[in-house]
Amino acid sequence: MAFKLDSKIPAGELAQKWSNHKAAIKVVSPANKRKLDIIVVGTGLGGASAAASLGELGYNVKVFCIQDSPRRAHSIAAQGGINAAKNYQNDNDSVYRLFYDTIKGGDYRAREANVYRLAEVSNLIIDQCVAQGVPFAREYGGLLANRSFGGAQVSRTFYARGQTGQQLLLGAYAALNKEIAAGSVKSYTRHEMLDIVIEDGEAKGIIARNLVTGEIERHGAHAVVIATGGYGNVFFLSTNAMASNGSAAFQCYRKGAGFANPCFTQIHPTCIPVHGTQQSKLTLMSESLRNDGRIWVPKKLEDVEALRKGTLKPSQIAEEDRDYYLERRYPAFGNLVPRDVASRAAKERCDAGYGVNETGLAVFLDFKTAIERLGKDVIKQRYGNLFDMYKEITDVNPYDEPMQIFPAVHYTMGGIWVDYNLMTTIPGLYAIGEANFSDHGANRLGASALMQGLADGYFVLPYTIGDYLSKKIQAPKVATDTPAFDEAEKAVKEKIEKLLSINGTQSVDDIHKRLGLIMWDNVGMARTKESLEKAIVEIQALRKEFWSDVKVVGTANSFNVELEKALRLVDFLELGELMARDALNREESCGGHFRSEHQTEEGEALRHDDKFAYASVWEYKGENEVPELTKEPLDYEFTHRAQRNYKD
Amino acid sequence: MNFTLKIWRQKDAQSKGAFKEYKVENVSSDTSFLEMLDILNNDLVHKGEEPVAFDHDCREGICGMCSLHIDGHAHGPSQAVTTCQIYMRQFKDGATITIEPWRSAAFPVIKDLVVNRSAYDQILQAGGFVSVRTNSVPDGNAIPIPKADADESMDAAACVGCGACAATCKNGSAMLFVAARVSSLAKLPQGRVEGARRAKAMVAKMDELGFGNCTNTGACQAECPKQISIAHIARLNREFLAAKLKD
Amino acid sequence: MGCFLTNSSLGRKLVMSISGCFLVLFILFHMSMNVVAIFSAEAYNMICGFLGASWYALAGTAVLALGVFVHFAYAFWLTWQNRKARGNVRYAVTVTEKGVSWASKNMLLLGVIVILGLALHLSHFWAKMQLVELLGHHENNLGLEPTDGAALIKYTFSQWYNVLLYLVWFAALWLHLTHGVWSMLQTAGWANDTWYPRLKCISGIVATLIFGGFAVVVVWFYLQTVCPCLAACGA
């Protein structure tokens, strides 16, 4: 049975939709809010801000995170900044321009109404965070400072040194702490959601594992909010944190929630290149570096050879022998083209043999011009901590020699399908932030992830959830001794027992690394029909191997990291296949999804709006069954779809 | 490179722990310290032994999850970095490296090298916030803040809550952590409003949780991965004493 | 408000800071007074007489004793709490962190040495001066007048082991003060990044001044017994 998708997008003018919608949806009275329970899973920007705001409204909130403190969620790692349409720089920015840049940046595969709402509330976020005591960068006049980011021609990114994500999360976490202290929110740290419980077709709670004791717990609620981020770690090597995973989202999918656009993966252009087989993760160098850094490879292949042999230093290559390929190909945006474009351009140069390190998988990010223009002190002030970090990792001083960078998996635009209210196809189940699919289309612009997480958590969900909960004011506390909870708990326990009993020969990481390679080689920056079909077959085989040959040591009732990793890998092994299937279905190139068969003569992504102007929403049919596709058409009423142009 | 590791193993909070020795061989010098532990753990899994439990997550030095007392130093021998940012090239080939969990009464060991740092959460819950509601706030530029104040606030806000300060302090004092939050908010007009209440509440919670008394050794700032200065402790002292004298 | 000086860690530290400050001021005064002995035995004895068994001197002594007691009692109390906060299991490997002085981590040990030195010093001087007066005697067990401090100094520091013990004592005091002086200002909240180098410099100067002032008297009088010609030019 295919989904009957109702995106619930309100009628009317684009700029009026959100106001109209807010006026139309129901609210819950304070007396009734006290009777309603909400579970929030995840404490990143989305989860923390949602839990805090919902607690503030008077709901009883339970918030779960796998780390030892809500503050550690991976939102914290965002470096560059957060966008808002404040127009403080007087550079003719506006809500419409932010909306348009985001829609265009997403290669016209996002919902217009959602994106406009995002742009609309972006300004509130800045006000909110300032009031919370987030120490944004300021100018000498005491007012907020801005910087530029990829995909925009205005300066609208607010930042707090190189740690914007951390500072925003500390703001949301502080708001959460305020509510925890007030008793409206109860925090469960080192707890992992292992299943969602559905009763009468509605979300009624979760099964969670206490990661310290191994105890399996039942938690009931009138609504469940998934804010568990993205699934980039399918690739094993990514810029995500080690424990970032797609399992909570995947359980929702298994229980009937639609999963949208799983193939839309963002490959971030400025990461430190892979250095060996023992590497555990990739480190991102902030996109803000592209404000002053220039990306290049040598023009001559003999220089490339000499670089690889170590007989030539990059700084010794003459200006005329350098190919600043982004400036050459995209004069209007130059080094500040969107991430997908920059990543593909790097891949194109490396494929052509111009990669500058031993593996041939790196390009230069050079600050020579900027240092000459602005002086070393200014550069140090702007990027000092990033430069230090780079030196720490690579042992190369970026003040003297250019950085080496290469694209790496960073963000997943795809996620659980949600309607305009952020509710999934399962009533009472919500998904916010990176965990949903709604706002970034096929490619996310820099400094927009923080914006979306906080927009959803502070300003959208607290309103829209009331529309559903207003129907639950007569509902009693959710009982957890029902057959649905029994069944879910039993299934979780059986899965854990099975994993512990296989006792094969390969560790969880061994298999995860192999999955990562399959994904990177076949479902990575460039995909073809053949590579995707190959990936599906290989992943299926690997999944079989996993279930017969994995070795998970330790016990179920204790702190057991191997078991945690195994449980997450189980889902990655299915998610990887889903991503490949979605990529196979989408016979066009758009944003982060590049099908080599579909490109312009200049090698740019070639969309087929006539056939693929939809969000693909997948329905789970069983572990070894082909999922069913439903299409949500993306009707563009207010913007004209064009071939993305960053050249002029 | 080859190393001998002396690692603290402890089954759970109730059990007694002890050091155990392990060898890791053929580690590339570009390997990070935690990747080196990954390699050890993968070997242990293959041997059917339980891997060493240690906290880590972002591996970029920002989440504050990783801990470890390495050869006598919180976050290892380098300055201004977290454990995840340490690379094996900083150790001598063939060295014996002693790895211990944070040791502080307020941070009980959960397993091996993993400790419970929820005390820090509790301190922040006592007052480490500005009491504003979502959406009832003025424009972001309504109150200009001198750049120097914003910068100083940011210096303090860089704290990642890893616990190195209390773990390294011979007095088990959490002053640097508490001071960082109090000071960061005290430097901003938004935080000033409830500054007195915050300082008193957070200090009271810190004391209640069994952290020690600061004796100004400065070990915390020396080991702090974010190089937070004890000047913030001086500010906390000021804030607290002023608040108390007004009572 | 009264109770925060006992039930809050910052309050307890403030007590340490204020009592420490008081003791530093006393020691500075004491040191200046001692130096007088080098130049003039009469002048020194005049000060001693002034500080004999009069009511104000006695009150001063009592306050001083209270200051020492509070500083010491709090030190033990804080240390006991700090050891408890550190937990039962200790690190197997410890190091001195960069920029951390040895003295700062061993203030209690240094304090104990200072107190032991003080006990010795009281038995040498106070017991033979103010106490004798209080008991109504006019001569101590050395056959000296209780107001003749200068003679007592001369006598005490003619013995080399006393000189040695006093120098050790002053060294401990010096170390204690290099950390203690700036630390008391830090605890009172009077410090910032600009002032740390200055405060530490001031601490060094105060500590060295005190050490020098005390040591020079001890050494001077010892040298007089070794080389009598010095005595001639001294007094």
Side-chain angles (χ1 to χ4, degrees):
Chain A
M1 166 194 91
F3 288 123
K4 276 184 74 183
L5 300 172
D6 177 4
S7 58
K8 300 212 176 95
I9 292 173
E13 271 304 305
L14 191 57
Q16 302 308 318
K17 281 181 192 286
W18 179 227
S19 314
N20 292 346
H21 189 69
K22 278 193 290 186
I25 56 178
K26 294 207 173 80
V27 292
V28 182
S29 79
N32 285 327
K33 282 187 184 123
R34 283 196 289 274
K35 296 187 219 152
L36 295 167
D37 301 327
I38 302 174
I39 284 173
V40 178
V41 187
T43 58
L45 289 178
S49 58
S53 302
L54 292 168
E56 209 173 81
L57 286 172
Y59 295 109
N60 302 307
V61 181
K62 284 183 177 181
V63 63
F64 293 79
C65 70
I66 54 175
Q67 297 89 347
D68 73 336
S69 164
R71 66 182 294 162
R72 314 235 190 260
H74 198 54
S75 303
I76 207 159
Q79 298 166 348
I82 178 165
N83 287 332
K86 283 283 194 186
N87 193 30
Y88 282 162
Q89 301 302 318
N90 195 31
D91 49 6
N92 195 11
D93 197 8
S94 63
V95 168
Y96 184 81
R97 196 176 292 280
L98 174 55
F99 153 76
Y100 182 75
D101 285 347
T102 309
I103 278 277
K104 178 185 171 193
D107 218 352
Y108 307 97
R109 288 293 175 264
R111 272 196 206 133
E112 274 184 325
N114 285 55
V115 177
Y116 195 89
R117 175 175 67 187
L118 177 66
E120 208 177 326
V121 301
S122 68
N123 291 340
L124 300 176
I125 297 173
I126 302 304
D127 301 341
Q128 183 68 28
C129 295
V130 167
Q132 287 169 343
V134 171
F136 282 118
R138 283 173 188 271
E139 294 164 353
Y140 282 107
L143 303 180
L144 294 161
N146 290 112
R147 56 164 63 139
S148 320
F149 246 65
Q153 287 169 312
V154 293
S155 207
R156 63 159 75 99
T157 304
F158 295 78
Y159 62 100
R161 235 164 259 175
Q163 340 177 325
T164 316
Q166 186 196 20
Q167 294 312 319
L168 296 177
L169 185 58
L170 288 181
Y173 162 69
L176 185 62
N177 280 337
K178 170 170 73 76
E179 293 307 309
I180 292 171
S184 57
V185 176
K186 190 159 170 19
S187 155
Y188 294 82
T189 58
R190 292 197 196 267
H191 273 68
E192 182 156 15
M193 167 186 149
L194 293 184
D195 206 356
I196 177 96
V197 182
I198 314 287
E199 232 172 61
D200 306 326
E202 293 176 340
K204 283 289 154 61
I206 64 166
I207 304 292
R209 181 167 180 268
N210 179 329
L211 299 181
V212 175
T213 63
E215 206 180 324
I216 304 295
E217 300 170 1
R218 303 175 181 196
H219 296 273
H222 296 92
V224 176
V225 180
I226 301 295
T228 52
Y231 47 89
N233 269 348
V234 145
F235 290 81
F236 187 74
L237 284 180
S238 81
T239 65
N240 287 4
M242 300 301 286
S244 298
N245 66 81
S247 286
F250 199 80
Q251 303 321 317
C252 299
Y253 168 62
R254 276 185 354 130
K255 285 285 177 85
F259 205 106
N261 299 337
C263 79
F264 288 166
T265 312
Q266 177 163 84
I267 316 273
H268 196 293
T270 51
C271 299
I272 297 175
V274 180
H275 63 63
T277 54
Q278 295 171 331
Q279 198 164 349
S280 61
K281 79 154 270 166
L282 297 172
T283 304
L284 176 77
M285 300 309 291
S286 169
E287 177 160 324
S288 62
L289 290 169
R290 287 201 273 145
N291 267 309
D292 290 304
R294 298 175 72 194
I295 295 174
W296 62 279
V297 291
K299 272 185 189 160
K300 296 190 227 154
L301 279 171
E302 60 258 36
D303 284 348
V304 173
E305 282 302 310
L307 282 169
R308 289 186 190 166
K309 275 192 216 132
T311 52
L312 184 71
K313 281 187 175 176
S315 57
Q316 292 167 331
I317 296 177
E319 200 60 32
E320 61 271 21
D321 291 332
R322 299 175 173 200
D323 176 14
Y324 295 97
Y325 57 85
L326 286 178
E327 295 169 32
R328 169 170 58 79
R329 287 178 62 179
Y330 308 102
F333 281 69
N335 293 295
L336 282 174
V337 290
R339 292 174 175 172
D340 56 332
V341 177
S343 290
R344 257 194 318 275
K347 181 177 173 358
E348 187 274 330
R349 281 294 82 192
C350 291
D351 287 349
Y354 290 92
V356 296
N357 67 356
E358 304 82 38
T359 57
L361 297 174
V363 299
F364 290 129
L365 175 61
D366 202 333
F367 290 86
K368 189 175 134 236
T369 321
I371 290 173
E372 281 165 9
R373 180 165 51 93
L374 301 163
K376 200 171 157 180
D377 286 344
V378 175
I379 294 300
K380 193 171 185 160
Q381 213 183 338
R382 286 189 190 165
Y383 311 110
N385 56 339
L386 295 169
F387 277 40
D388 293 347
M389 184 164 97
Y390 183 84
K391 176 154 193 295
E392 199 69 52
I393 296 173
T394 60
D395 224 9
V396 172
N397 184 354
Y399 292 104
D400 304 330
E401 293 293 334
M403 292 182 178
Q404 289 189 1
I405 52 162
F406 197 68
V409 175
H410 180 56
Y411 186 91
T412 48
M413 282 73 69
I416 309 174
W417 183 90
V418 289
D419 61 19
Y420 193 67
N421 288 330
L422 304 180
M423 189 158 85
T424 67
T425 53
I426 300 173
L429 180 65
Y430 291 77
I432 59 175
E434 190 180 353
N436 76 25
F437 89 111
S438 67
D439 294 358
H440 303 298
N443 173 56
R444 177 175 68 74
L445 288 184
S448 284
L450 304 184
M451 175 169 71
Q452 189 217 344
L454 291 180
D456 288 358
Y458 282 133
F459 299 110
V460 180
L461 183 79
Y463 292 166
T464 59
I465 204 169
D467 196 41
Y468 172 78
L469 289 174
S470 64
K471 287 173 261 171
K472 295 287 162 195
I473 54 174
Q474 303 286 358
K477 284 257 174 242
V478 174
T480 58
D481 54 356
T482 60
F485 273 97
D486 291 346
E487 222 172 276
E489 182 179 322
K490 191 163 155 266
V492 162
K493 285 184 168 165
E494 279 171 5
K495 182 151 83 173
I496 290 174
E497 263 165 47
K498 177 145 191 233
L499 285 169
L500 290 171
S501 65
I502 297 167
N503 201 18
T505 62
Q506 300 181 65
S507 72
V508 176
D509 281 356
D510 292 341
I511 296 174
H512 198 167
K513 280 183 190 178
R514 288 173 58 197
L515 173 66
L517 281 180
I518 296 174
M519 293 300 293
W520 183 248
D521 290 344
N522 303 299
V523 198
M525 259 193 288
R527 303 148 172 189
T528 62
K529 184 166 182 285
E530 292 71 38
S531 78
L532 293 166
E533 281 168 347
K534 183 166 158 244
I536 292 171
V537 174
E538 286 183 1
I539 294 169
Q540 284 172 345
L542 188 63
R543 200 157 63 222
K544 255 193 197 142
E545 212 178 310
F546 173 87
W547 283 111
S548 60
D549 194 36
V550 76
K551 188 182 185 85
V552 185
V553 296
T555 60
N557 300 317
S558 65
F559 190 94
N560 188 342
V561 179
E562 286 300 306
L563 177 61
E564 291 169 30
K565 288 197 290 191
L567 283 162
R568 291 169 199 156
L569 183 54
V570 167
D571 300 323
F572 282 141
L573 281 164
E574 288 191 58
L575 206 40
E577 185 184 331
L578 180 66
M579 291 165 74
R581 282 197 187 282
D582 186 44
L584 188 61
N585 168 69
R586 192 168 283 278
E587 290 182 29
E588 66 164 349
S589 295
C590 58
H593 169 67
F594 192 76
R595 284 283 297 265
S596 303
E597 305 96 321
H598 304 275
Q599 49 182 311
T600 64
E601 278 173 16
E602 292 151 311
E604 304 296 339
L606 183 63
R607 288 197 324 267
H608 298 305
D609 291 334
D610 49 337
K611 289 189 213 140
F612 293 98
Y614 63 77
S616 36
V617 188
W618 299 88
E619 186 177 4
Y620 191 72
K621 293 288 170 189
E623 188 190 326
N624 295 309
E625 305 299 323
V626 178
E628 187 177 344
L629 173 67
T630 310
K631 299 169 184 178
E632 184 207 334
L634 297 169
D635 300 321
Y636 274 45
E637 286 180 74
F638 305 95
T639 28
H640 167 66
R641 283 197 184 92
Q643 172 76 35
R644 277 197 306 172
N645 178 0
Y646 292 102
K647 294 172 197 290
D648 43 49
Chain B
M1 299 175 89
N2 303 317
F3 300 99
T4 305
L5 307 175
K6 267 180 75 182
I7 301 179
W8 182 263
R9 302 299 309 258
Q10 183 172 336
K11 195 166 156 272
D12 50 39
Q14 289 74 40
S15 309
K16 257 191 89 170
F19 282 102
K20 208 169 165 198
E21 264 194 30
Y22 300 92
K23 302 253 181 231
V24 282
E25 280 156 3
N26 293 321
V27 177
S28 130
S29 62
D30 282 338
T31 304
S32 78
F33 193 84
L34 295 184
E35 282 163 3
M36 185 270 299
L37 289 180
D38 291 341
I39 293 168
L40 169 71
N41 277 347
N42 210 34
D43 285 351
L44 290 176
V45 171
H46 280 281
K47 285 186 206 154
E49 290 177 43
E50 273 222 43
V52 180
F54 61 95
D55 268 330
H56 64 101
D57 200 18
C58 79
R59 297 209 178 183
E60 324 184 345
I62 193 72
C63 75
M65 188 86 176
C66 62
S67 51
L68 304 190
H69 204 254
I70 302 163
D71 283 346
H73 285 284
H75 291 302
S78 301
Q79 302 286 307
V81 291
T82 55
T83 296
C84 63
Q85 295 172 293
I86 301 207
Y87 290 82
M88 296 320 290
R89 66 176 95 91
Q90 291 159 255
F91 294 86
K92 275 203 192 107
D93 193 12
T96 298
I97 304 170
T98 308
I99 310 169
E100 304 175 68
W102 283 171
R103 299 267 185 228
S104 173
F107 297 156
V109 172
I110 290 174
K111 184 179 183 177
D112 296 342
L113 303 170
V114 175
V115 299
N116 180 349
R117 285 171 287 196
S118 59
Y120 270 14
D121 281 339
Q122 291 177 53
I123 292 175
L124 291 179
Q125 283 156 17
F129 47 78
V130 178
S131 301
V132 288
R133 292 185 146 271
T134 301
N135 213 8
S136 66
V137 297
D139 184 83
N141 261 349
I143 311 171
I145 302 174
K147 187 175 186 312
D149 287 349
D151 285 349
E152 212 176 330
S153 173
M154 181 62 228
D155 288 342
C159 169
V160 293
C162 64
C165 45
T168 208
C169 175
K170 78 178 188 67
N171 308 317
S173 166
M175 277 291 273
L176 193 62
F177 171 76
V178 177
R181 189 63 185 154
V182 167
S183 183
S184 174
L185 292 177
K187 285 304 283 184
L188 301 172
Q190 290 83 359
R192 269 266 46 103
V193 181
E194 49 192 330
R197 193 188 66 84
R198 176 180 308 115
K200 286 188 288 186
M202 286 177 71
V203 167
K205 185 51 102 177
M206 167 183 88
D207 290 345
E208 178 197 320
L209 292 169
F211 287 101
N213 307 280
C214 171
T215 63
N216 308 325
T217 66
C220 50
Q221 77 177 356
E223 295 292 318
C224 174
K226 297 297 159 191
Q227 293 188 298
I228 291 172
S229 162
I230 56 170
H232 298 293
I233 296 184
R235 182 171 293 114
L236 168 61
N237 292 337
R238 275 201 297 282
E239 291 277 321
F240 177 84
L241 296 176
K244 277 291 179 190
L245 292 172
K246 269 185 220 154
D247 277 354
Chain C
M1 183 204 130
C3 54
F4 91 92
L5 297 175
T6 53
N7 64 14
S8 162
S9 62
L10 267 62
R12 291 190 289 269
K13 287 288 300 159
L14 185 69
V15 171
M16 283 304 278
S17 166
I18 291 172
S19 58
C21 177
F22 171 66
L23 294 177
V24 168
L25 292 176
F26 165 73
I27 289 171
L28 272 171
F29 162 74
H30 194 323
M31 181 271 291
S32 334
M33 170 181 142
N34 286 10
V35 174
V36 173
I38 296 181
F39 302 103
S40 159
E42 289 80 44
Y44 181 74
N45 282 348
M46 201 177 85
I47 302 171
C48 288
F50 186 64
L51 293 175
S54 57
W55 68 267
Y56 47 83
L58 280 175
T61 309
V63 172
L64 192 61
L66 182 72
V68 172
F69 173 77
V70 166
H71 198 69
F72 211 66
Y74 265 70
F76 274 99
W77 187 18
L78 292 174
T79 306
W80 171 73
Q81 285 186 322
N82 291 348
R83 285 191 66 83
K84 212 170 61 171
R86 206 71 197 76
N88 296 324
V89 189
R90 305 268 143 179
Y91 287 116
V93 184
T94 49
V95 292
T96 297
E97 297 83 358
K98 202 178 143 200
V100 174
S101 71
W102 180 86
S104 72
K105 288 188 150 190
N106 294 279
M107 289 297 273
L108 187 76
L109 172 71
L110 293 168
V112 167
I113 297 175
V114 169
I115 270 287
L116 291 175
L118 181 66
L120 185 75
H121 174 63
L122 289 177
S123 76
H124 280 159
F125 290 89
W126 180 75
K128 294 183 171 61
M129 296 173 75
Q130 199 181 44
L131 182 63
V132 175
E133 282 191 69
L134 282 177
L135 295 173
H137 303 306
H138 298 288
E139 196 179 278
N140 61 30
N141 57 358
L142 296 169
L144 297 169
E145 270 182 52
T147 49
D148 190 358
L152 195 55
I153 291 178
K154 217 166 186 171
Y155 169 76
T156 309
F157 298 120
S158 63
Q159 284 136 334
W160 66 268
Y161 50 86
N162 277 343
V163 174
L164 197 68
L165 284 172
Y166 271 72
L167 286 178
V168 169
W169 180 34
F170 297 152
L173 186 62
W174 181 82
L175 282 167
H176 196 83
L177 291 177
T178 52
H179 178 67
V181 172
W182 80 265
S183 180
M184 91 196 169
L185 296 169
Q186 162 87 357
T187 299
W190 192 51
N192 58 43
D193 281 324
T194 318
W195 272 85
Y196 284 124
R198 299 173 191 170
L199 293 181
K200 287 187 182 176
C201 177
I202 291 170
S203 293
I205 292 170
V206 171
T208 308
L209 204 66
I210 288 173
F211 173 85
F214 281 128
V216 77
V217 175
V218 171
V219 172
W220 176 255
F221 282 94
Y222 177 65
L223 289 179
Q224 280 189 2
T225 57
V226 181
C227 172
C229 64
L230 280 173
C233 58

